[in-house]
Amino acid sequence: MREASYWKTRSDGRLACVLCPHVCKLADGGVGLCNARERKGDKLYTLNYARMTSMAMDPIEKKPLYHFHPGSQILSVGTFGCSFRCPWCQNSEISQGRP
Ligand code: SF4
């Protein structure tokens, strides 16, 4: 866990995360919609900093690249937390998980 960037304290005592357009307003102990940022006391922290939940070698053709080293492999890494809730998400077990 690491202190987050991009947040501010509001006049009503809540803390506003301003990293993405959701602008979550959090009371102490509150977690953002993304499940990756939590207020503890008077600060906001990132819960997934330097934490990895998946790692795999993938064919380069899986990536949004056009004709880039065809036939080669690429290392994919990911962590939990996402500010979307897409019902068709292929990585929802990872992205919507809690630490
Ligand atoms: S969803 Fe996450 S990144 Fe976006 S405003 Fe809320 S806490 Fe911040």
Side-chain angles (χ1 to χ4, degrees), residues 1 7-10 12-16 25-32 37-47:
M1 187 163 44
W7 58 273
K8 55 188 172 187
T9 305
R10 294 164 35 112
D12 64 4
R14 290 192 299 172
L15 185 156
K25 287 99 181 161
L26 304 170
D28 193 14
V31 178
R37 293 162 77 85
E38 180 176 8
R39 177 178 175 176
K40 286 185 182 291
D42 292 333
K43 292 184 177 177
L44 186 68
Y45 292 89
T46 63
L47 302 174

Side-chain angles (χ1 to χ4, degrees), residues 6-8 10 27 30 34 36 40 44 49 73 80 93-94:
Y6 306 110
W7 58 273
K8 55 188 172 187
R10 294 164 35 112
C34 60
K40 286 185 182 291
L44 186 68
Y49 183 84
Q73 298 269 297
F80 61 87
E93 289 179 13
I94 298 169

Side-chain angles (χ1 to χ4, degrees), residues 7 9 14 16 21 24 28 32 35 37 41-42 50-51 56 65 67 71 78-80 87-90 93 96:
W7 58 273
T9 305
R14 290 192 299 172
C24 296
D28 193 14
N35 277 336
R37 293 162 77 85
D42 292 333
R51 297 178 72 188
L65 303 168
H67 207 67
T79 188
F80 61 87
W88 55 83
C89 179
Q90 66 172 356
E93 289 179 13
Q96 306 302 321

Side-chain angles (χ1 to χ4, degrees), residues 17-20 22-24 26 32-34 37 83:
C17 175
V18 293
L19 182 62
C20 87
H22 288 296
V23 190
C24 296
L26 304 170
L33 184 142
C34 60
R37 293 162 77 85
S83 53

Side-chain angles (χ1 to χ4, degrees), residues 47-86:
L47 302 174
N48 58 3
Y49 183 84
R51 297 178 72 188
M52 193 175 3
T53 54
S54 73
M55 178 170 66
M57 292 300 295
D58 289 324
I60 194 81
E61 286 78 10
K62 239 177 118 175
K63 302 301 172 188
L65 303 168
Y66 179 70
H67 207 67
F68 184 79
H69 295 277
S72 62
Q73 298 269 297
I74 190 168
L75 178 65
S76 299
V77 296
T79 188
F80 61 87
C82 185
S83 53
F84 292 99
R85 291 286 183 274
C86 311

